Each structure stands twice: as C-alpha cells, then as structure tokens.
C-alpha cells in the first residue's frame, strides 16, 4: 500500500511542473498583450500632455513641463468639466426615473408586442449615429432646442435609454416572481412589495446600469457637438475643439482628465455588477 | 377552518388548467395533491393562494367566500419550491415581514420570530446578522416554513418544497414538516409529484390528472383501493397487462411487490392474443418468463415477459431465468375494463 502511495507521489510532479510553466508563459503573453493594447495609446497621451516642445524626428519631447496642465486646469476647461458632469447627472436621474418603472412593467407583465417595444428602443443604435443626430438636430431647430441644455440632455437620453432599459429589464427578469408572491401572500400590497422586495434586490443592477448611463453621457460626443454648439461645450467637444486647433497637448490633458471619472466609476461598477447584468449587453 | 372548493375551473392556453375541482380540506388536516407534471396541481394551489383568478366556481375559507379576495387578504401563505427567501434581508427580517405588516409591537415580533424559528429548529442567536443564503437548503426551507407559519395563516400551501433538496435531507424534512404541521394544528395543502412524499406525509391524498381529480382518500385507501385506472397505474411500481378474463379483454394492474413466483415446468397456456389468468385460492395466477435478476438493494428485480408484455417482479429470493407461475393475491390485483373499474373476484377462466 505504501508503495502505491510513493508511486503516485513520484508520478505527479512531472506533468504538473510543465503544466505550470506553460500556464505561466500563457499568462505572461496575455498580460503583455493586454498592457500593450491598453497602455500603448494612453502612453502617447501621457507623453504629449507633458510635452512643451516636441518636433520630428525626435522620439521623445525636447522640452518637458506642466504648462498645458496649468493652462487647461485654470481655463474654460473647468467650466466644461462641471457642465459635462451636470448633464451626466441629469441624464442619469431622468433615466432612472423613466426606466425603472418601464423596465419593471416590461419584465413582469404581458405587454402586447413586447419585443417590438424593445426593438424600438434599440433603433437609434441600429443606424449610424450621424444621420440619426442630424435628423434630431433638424427637429430640435424647429423647437428651438439647439444650443440649449435641454437639447443636449434630450439627445443624450436617446442613447442612454437604450442601455438603461435593456439592462434593467434583464435585472428585473432575473428576480424570481416567487419572491414577490411570497410578500403578497403574507399581506403586502403590490406597491409595498415593489419598494420593500423588488427594488432593493434590483438595486445593484440599477446602480450598475446608471453608472453606464452616466459614463455614456459623460463621453457622448456626436450628439453634443451637433445639438450643443455653440453654447453648450461639454468635455468631449472641448477636447475635440482643442485637437482641431492642433493643440495636441491640451487635447491630451483633457483626454486624460476625462478618463479619470470613467476609471473610478468602472471600478465602482465592478463591485455592483453581477454576471447576469452583463448578459444584457450580450443581448443589447 | 375548513377549506372548500366547489366546481373550480381555470383554463390556460396550455394544458395545465383545472376543471370542475370540488374538494374540501378539513381543519388541521394535511392534504397532498399528487400527479404528473401538467396535471394542474400547481394551478390549483396557486388559485387557492390567490395568485390568479379562477374562471368559475367558488372557494370558501370557513364561512368566508374568498373566490374574489386578493391574495394578501386570504391568509393562505405559501412555501415555494425555490424557498423564495429575500436575499437582501436577514433571516429575522424575512420571518418578521408578515408580522410587521400587521403592525405588531417590536417586542411581540421579536418573541414570535424567536418562537417560530425555535420550533423549526433554526438557532436564533445570529438571525439578525445572517442572510438566508448562508444557510443550507434544508435550513432555508425551514426558514421559509417559519415565515409562512408565523402569521398564523388559515391555510399553509406548499409547492413541491422538497424537490430542490438532496435525498437524505428530503426524507428527514418530510418527517419534520409533518411534525411541525401537526404541532401547529394548521390546515395544509401540499403539492408534489413524488408519490412516496404524498403517501408518507398526508392525511388525505388527492390524485390528479389532466386538470381533474382522479381519487381522494387516505393514503392506504388510494394505494390499496385505486378507483381509476390512472390511480392504480400512478401509485407504486405498477404495471398494466392486457389479459383475457371471462372471455373479455381487460386491463390488469399489478404492483411488483405483490407478485410471487413459483417454479413451474408447464409451459404457459397460450391464448391467441392475450395471456390467460387463472383464479384459485384467492389468487390470480399466470405463466411468465423471468429474465436475469437485477439487484436493487433490499430485493431483486426481475424483468418478466408474458405474451410479449413486460413487467417487473420484486422478490427477495434469487431465481434462475425460466418459466414461472406468477401469483397475485386477489385483493392486490386491480381490474379495469376499457379503463373502468371492474369486479375483482371471479371464476376460473
């Protein structure tokens, strides 16, 4: 019996050893590749943001400095930044207000032509953005909404509602009906059941979906440019304007700054996100 | 409180509706509905819970007509197959939910929650900090049972509460649920597809098929005196043989455990189409070919063949394959003619 045990022990390390080396190489390759993919484009942004003088054929800038960071931070940029955050908050708020009840109804009740309804929500995303937004712009001109906060908020909502409804419907669908039935037959009303049972259970999903909406609104460019100009300059538009003026430095600084809320929110989202909520994106 | 259903019907697009169900559940009794999937047993349970309206008929809880009453006014609480415990609340809050809705004082709620959880054998020292998902499946179902019982309902409904649990826990919880139901003296309706569960737990067993009640009775009654072909076939390890009796083609339902084998050299007396069954000494007997034994634990199971029809025979002894005389006590042989119950005792063919 002891011989058998020894044999087994002697036999095991060899395949395990080569296996772990293979895995380590695989892992290294994957890490290296993803770092290259993610950090590659960003690294040039970082270098550009600190470059005060950088001419061809030099590989790295001739003069380094914080001049552009200072210029961006004290200039109109702060204004754009707060405007962008304000719009994003407003869009997120309106989105939650509209989408939570709507998604719940879609998820729970037999609604005629349910899939058609969901498809309609998807339509603006199905077509190229530019024609959709130029058409929207035409309508907004008629209603005097171009260049106003309302106009930009509305155009952001077009895209945001898609994210929101599709994710939240799947969040509510993932909550078993029996959880609600259990509350109702203990004596709870439908409204009370929704607020004490359904909503708290759906909350992580709603938060995750709202974070996505917030990020979408913060980064939205085409609609903001077409509807917002010339009076409403959000961060992405501001960045675009400075890049158009061949101010690579300003554009880089703005770009880096815009990444910060995104990274923070995505980290937050990871905490709330469950895999079933991610499934909504697969379908969306 | 007696629960009475009268001519209750509910139609669905699919087949799982119910038709003209008339049934009464006596006060304090444990009634189990058993039947194959799609027989309407869950529909009936959900109709009683008030989760959906019925098309016609009446439902009464005692003197009160609850046919149109909303679920939350009925006091019929449900225990679900998936437990349906709320994951965002502690065990205490789960159980206290129904009490809080009744605006009871904090002290009374504490008292009742602790009492009920103690009775279902859930340790109560950490119930305010632990969430239900941190308990085992069997414990979760006991918590769900406590949540349903704590508001002292008129009727306790259970929808296959044990089917998500593994076999050992299941057979233990059967005994426990039965004991808890009796100690509370509550009227209970239990839906299951598992006949063993129904027979072992219930005071009354209701056999359903295709939205209709086939038979209602005490467990021993429905098991030993099936009134319909389906009831006979559904319960036990049952086999149906087409045989010739009194010159008429009939169906004989027999259960594997009731068949005795006797070695016999005489070849089976063959009729053109059906096997012949003889009657004598209070037993029916016929010749059957026995195949190789399968050991199934406490007994051996034999595949038996008679005129191309197969059935199982369970016996403790080991028999070599060959021709045997299979005998069944007359009171354990169930005869049906065109699906209708037929007289059992009769003369030799």
């Amino acid at each position: 019996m002891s011989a058998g045990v020894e044999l087994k022990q002697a036999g095991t390390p060899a395949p395990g050893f080569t296996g772990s080396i293979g895995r380590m190489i695989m892992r290294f390759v994957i890490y290296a590749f993803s770092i290259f993919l993610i950090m590659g484009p960003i690294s040039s942004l970082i270098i550009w943001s600190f470059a005060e003088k950088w001419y061809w054929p030099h590989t790295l800038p001739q003069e380094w400095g914080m001049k552009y960071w200072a210029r961006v931070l004290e200039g109109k940029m702060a204004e754009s930044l707060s405007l962008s955050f304000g719009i994003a908050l407003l869009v997120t708020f309106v989105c939650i207000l509209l989408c939570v009840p709507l998604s719940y109804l879609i998820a729970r009740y037999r609604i005629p032509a349910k899939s058609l309804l969901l498809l309609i929500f998807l339509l603006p995303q199905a077509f190229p953005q530019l024609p959709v937004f130029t058409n929207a712009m035409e309508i907004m001109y008629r209603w005097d909404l171009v260049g106003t906060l309302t106009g930009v908020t509305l155009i952001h909502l077009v895209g945001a509602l898609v994210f929101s409804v599709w994710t939240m419907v799947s969040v509510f669908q993932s909550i078993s009906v029996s959880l609600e039935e259990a509350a109702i037959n203990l004596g709870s009303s439908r409204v009370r059941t929704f607020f004490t049972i359904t909503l708290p259970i759906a909350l992580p999903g709603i938060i995750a979906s709202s974070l996505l909406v917030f990020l979408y609104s913060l980064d939205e460019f085409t609609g903001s440019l077409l509807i917002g100009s010339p009076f409403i300059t959000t961060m992405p538009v501001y960045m675009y304007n400075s890049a158009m003026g061949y101010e690579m430095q300003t554009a880089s600084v703005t770009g880096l700054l815009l990444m910060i809320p995104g990274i923070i929110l995505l980290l937050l989202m990871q905490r709330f996100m469950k895999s079933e909520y991610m499934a909504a994106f697969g379908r969306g | 409180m007696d629960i009475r259903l009268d001519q209750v019907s509910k139609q669905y697009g699919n087949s799982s509706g119910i038709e003209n169900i008339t049934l009464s559940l006596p006060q304090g009794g444990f009634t189990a509905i058993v039947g194959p999937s799609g027989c309407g047993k869950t529909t009936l349970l959900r109709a009683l819970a008030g989760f959906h309206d019925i098309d016609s008929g009446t439902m009464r809880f005692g003197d009160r007509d609850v046919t149109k009453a909303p679920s939350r006014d009925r006091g019929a609480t449900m225990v679900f197959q998936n437990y349906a415990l709320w994951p965002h609340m502690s065990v205490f809050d789960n159980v206290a939910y129904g009490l809080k809705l009744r605006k009871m004082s904090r002290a009374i709620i504490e008292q009742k929650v602790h009492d009920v959880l103690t009775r279902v054998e859930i340790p109560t020292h950490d119930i305010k900090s632990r969430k239900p998902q941190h308990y085992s499946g069997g414990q979760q179902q006991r918590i769900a049972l406590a949540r349903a019982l704590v508001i002292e309902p008129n009727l306790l409904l259970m929808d296959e509460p044990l089917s998500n649990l593994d076999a050992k826990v299941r057979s233990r919880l059967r005994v426990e649920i039965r004991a808890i139901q009796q100690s509370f003296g509550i009227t209970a309706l239990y839906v299951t597809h598992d006949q063993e569960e129904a027979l072992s737990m219930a005071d009354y067993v209701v056999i359903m098929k295709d939205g209709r009640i086939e038979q209602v009775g005490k467990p021993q009654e429905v098991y030993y005196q099936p009134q319909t072909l389906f009831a006979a076939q559904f319960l036990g390890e049952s086999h149906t043989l087409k045989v010739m009796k009194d010159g008429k083609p009939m169906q004989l339902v027999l259960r594997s455990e009731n068949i005795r084998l006797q070695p016999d050299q005489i070849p089976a007396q063959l009729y053109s189409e059906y096997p012949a069954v003889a009657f004598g000494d209070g037993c029916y007997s016929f010749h059957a070919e026995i195949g190789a034994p399968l050991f199934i634990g406490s007994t051996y199971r034999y595949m038996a063949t008679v005129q191309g029809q197969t059935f199982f025979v369970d016996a403790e002894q080991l028999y070599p394959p060959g021709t045997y005389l299979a005998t069944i006590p007359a009171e354990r042989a169930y005869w049906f003619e065109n699906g209708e119950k037929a007289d059992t005792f009769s003369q030799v063919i």
Side-chain angles (χ1 to χ4, degrees), chain B residues 100-324:
Chain B
K100 284 177 186 162
L101 288 171
R102 279 157 186 75
K103 308 256 186 290
M104 292 187 179
S105 77
R106 190 178 290 263
I108 292 177
I109 291 178
E110 292 258 343
Q111 185 61 41
K112 281 182 181 269
V113 170
H114 280 268
D115 282 352
V116 77
L117 284 173
T118 311
R119 284 175 84 173
V120 299
E121 289 171 27
I122 297 291
T124 54
H125 59 91
D126 56 355
I127 49 169
K128 286 197 179 169
S129 54
R130 275 175 89 182
K131 298 279 172 66
Q133 56 270 34
H134 300 134
Y135 287 79
S136 72
Q139 284 176 316
Q140 288 190 45
Q141 199 53 290
R142 288 207 297 258
I143 294 167
L145 195 61
R147 182 180 65 179
L149 286 169
V150 76
I151 65 159
E152 292 162 23
N154 299 320
L155 174 63
L156 178 67
L157 301 165
M158 290 173 270
D159 185 11
E160 311 224 5
L162 304 182
S163 54
N164 281 5
L165 301 167
D166 58 56
K168 277 244 159 57
V169 182
R170 195 158 59 215
S171 55
R172 225 194 92 155
L173 222 53
R174 262 184 215 167
V175 182
E176 287 182 11
I177 289 181
R178 174 64 170 150
I180 291 165
Q181 179 266 333
Q182 281 180 323
S183 83
F184 278 81
I186 193 169
T187 316
L189 185 63
Y190 189 102
V191 157
T192 178
H193 65 268
D194 182 343
Q195 48 163 310
E196 208 178 302
E197 229 168 80
L199 293 170
S200 64
M201 295 173 82
D203 297 315
Y204 302 97
V205 174
V206 178
I207 301 172
M208 276 184 77
K209 183 203 172 201
D210 297 337
R212 294 169 185 278
I213 291 179
E214 288 275 320
Q215 190 175 352
V216 185
K218 295 200 170 86
Q220 287 82 355
E221 275 171 24
V222 295
Y223 190 80
Y224 289 125
Q225 291 141 39
Q227 297 302 309
T228 66
L229 178 61
F230 177 78
Q233 288 170 326
F234 186 72
L235 295 180
E237 176 69 37
S238 293
H239 302 277
T240 311
L241 294 181
K242 285 186 209 149
V243 297
M244 212 57 165
K245 183 167 161 274
D246 305 342
K248 285 183 286 188
M250 296 181 91
Q251 288 142 308
L252 170 61
V253 179
L254 35 85
R255 304 220 166 101
S256 300
E257 77 264 19
N258 294 326
I259 304 165
R260 302 283 166 271
L261 296 176
Q262 288 164 14
D264 198 357
Q265 303 310 313
I266 310 158
Q269 183 189 354
L270 303 179
Y271 271 62
S272 57
E273 201 178 344
Y274 300 116
V277 175
F279 180 72
D281 292 338
C283 287
Y284 291 100
S285 55
F286 57 89
H287 292 277
E289 294 287 332
I290 302 301
L294 296 165
F295 183 58
I296 56 162
S298 51
T299 57
Y300 291 97
R301 177 161 289 175
Y302 299 86
M303 168 84 97
T305 315
V306 53
Q307 296 285 86
Q309 304 180 55
T310 57
F311 60 101
F312 288 137
V313 178
D314 288 352
E316 281 164 27
Q317 272 172 283
L318 204 51
Y319 296 102
T323 307
Y324 289 80

Side-chain angles (χ1 to χ4, degrees), chain A residues 110 175-202 204 274, chain B residues 46 49 51 71-73 75-80 82-89 94 97-98 100-103 147-148 151 157:
Chain A
R110 283 168 187 275
I175 298 172
S176 164
V177 185
S178 60
L179 293 176
E180 293 171 2
E181 289 173 341
I184 284 169
N185 81 32
L186 283 170
S188 178
S189 66
R190 289 215 163 268
V191 176
R192 196 192 177 102
T193 303
F194 180 78
F195 283 105
T196 56
I197 306 294
T198 320
L199 200 59
I201 297 174
K274 286 191 201 159
Chain B
R46 295 176 60 81
F51 292 150
S71 178
R72 64 194 169 111
D73 290 343
T77 52
M78 183 109 143
V79 173
F80 296 85
N82 64 355
Y83 324 132
L85 293 167
W86 303 303
H88 63 297
M89 291 184 189
N94 264 277
Y97 189 85
K100 284 177 186 162
L101 288 171
R102 279 157 186 75
K103 308 256 186 290
R147 182 180 65 179
I151 65 159
L157 301 165

Side-chain angles (χ1 to χ4, degrees), chain A:
Chain A
M1 190 182 159
S2 66
V5 172
E6 273 168 37
L7 253 176
K8 213 172 164 192
Q9 279 174 337
T12 40
F17 190 60
T18 48
S20 75
I21 283 189
R23 233 179 297 145
M24 263 169 63
I25 292 172
M26 265 296 278
R27 220 179 268 179
F28 179 77
V29 169
I30 290 170
Y31 284 159
F33 188 66
S34 31
I35 285 171
F36 176 76
L37 272 186
I38 297 165
M39 294 309 289
I42 293 176
S43 64
S44 95
L45 272 188
I46 295 170
I47 296 170
W48 260 116
S49 75
F50 290 104
E52 288 191 3
K53 210 184 204 181
W54 190 2
Y55 294 115
W56 193 82
H58 296 274
T59 336
L60 286 172
Q62 294 110 309
E63 278 177 42
W64 298 79
M66 299 286 290
K67 193 171 91 189
Y68 287 94
W69 278 90
R71 189 193 287 177
V72 164
L73 286 176
E74 72 198 12
K76 271 178 70 182
M77 139 105 204
E79 207 178 298
S80 287
L81 191 69
S82 57
L83 184 70
S84 269
F85 268 85
I87 290 173
L89 278 176
L90 186 66
V91 168
T92 312
F93 181 70
V94 175
C95 223
I96 291 174
L97 222 57
L98 285 176
C99 292
V100 168
L102 184 66
S103 313
Y104 182 71
L105 292 179
I106 292 175
R108 274 293 182 267
Y109 293 94
R110 283 168 187 275
I111 292 173
K114 186 193 270 188
S115 46
L116 195 73
L117 191 73
L118 279 173
L119 203 68
I120 288 171
F121 272 99
L122 209 56
L123 271 185
Q125 299 287 306
F127 296 107
Q129 282 200 321
L130 211 55
V132 172
F133 287 144
T134 26
N135 272 317
M137 186 166 72
E138 204 184 322
I139 298 168
M140 289 205 177
Y141 262 121
R142 232 173 280 160
W143 293 342
D144 258 348
L145 287 171
V146 172
T148 66
L149 204 62
T150 326
V152 176
T153 309
L154 281 176
I155 204 74
H156 283 191
L157 273 175
V158 171
L161 283 174
V162 179
F163 284 124
S164 232
V165 167
W166 278 80
T167 40
M168 285 192 204
V169 165
S170 97
V171 167
F172 283 121
Q173 270 170 348
S174 75
I175 298 172
S176 164
V177 185
S178 60
L179 293 176
E180 293 171 2
E181 289 173 341
I184 284 169
N185 81 32
L186 283 170
S188 178
S189 66
R190 289 215 163 268
V191 176
R192 196 192 177 102
T193 303
F194 180 78
F195 283 105
T196 56
I197 306 294
T198 320
L199 200 59
I201 297 174
L203 201 60
I206 292 172
I207 290 174
S209 143
S210 304
L211 288 175
L212 275 180
V213 166
F214 186 83
L215 286 180
Y216 169 81
S217 169
L218 205 62
D219 289 342
E220 210 287 332
F221 169 70
T222 325
S224 308
L225 181 72
L226 288 174
I227 308 293
S229 7
F231 305 114
I232 306 291
T233 312
T234 61
M235 276 293 280
V237 177
Y238 181 84
M239 190 171 81
Y240 175 74
N241 288 343
S242 23
M244 284 302 276
Y246 289 102
E247 269 197 319
M248 269 312 281
Q249 288 91 335
T250 318
S252 303
V253 172
T254 344
L256 285 174
L257 282 174
L258 256 184
M259 273 169 52
I260 295 169
I263 291 169
I264 292 172
L265 288 179
L266 281 173
L267 284 177
L268 272 179
M269 190 161 70
Q270 234 185 1
R271 273 199 51 191
F272 292 111
M273 208 69 151
K274 286 191 201 159
S275 56
E276 65 245 42
Y277 306 144
M278 293 303 285
F281 299 107
R283 283 196 279 160

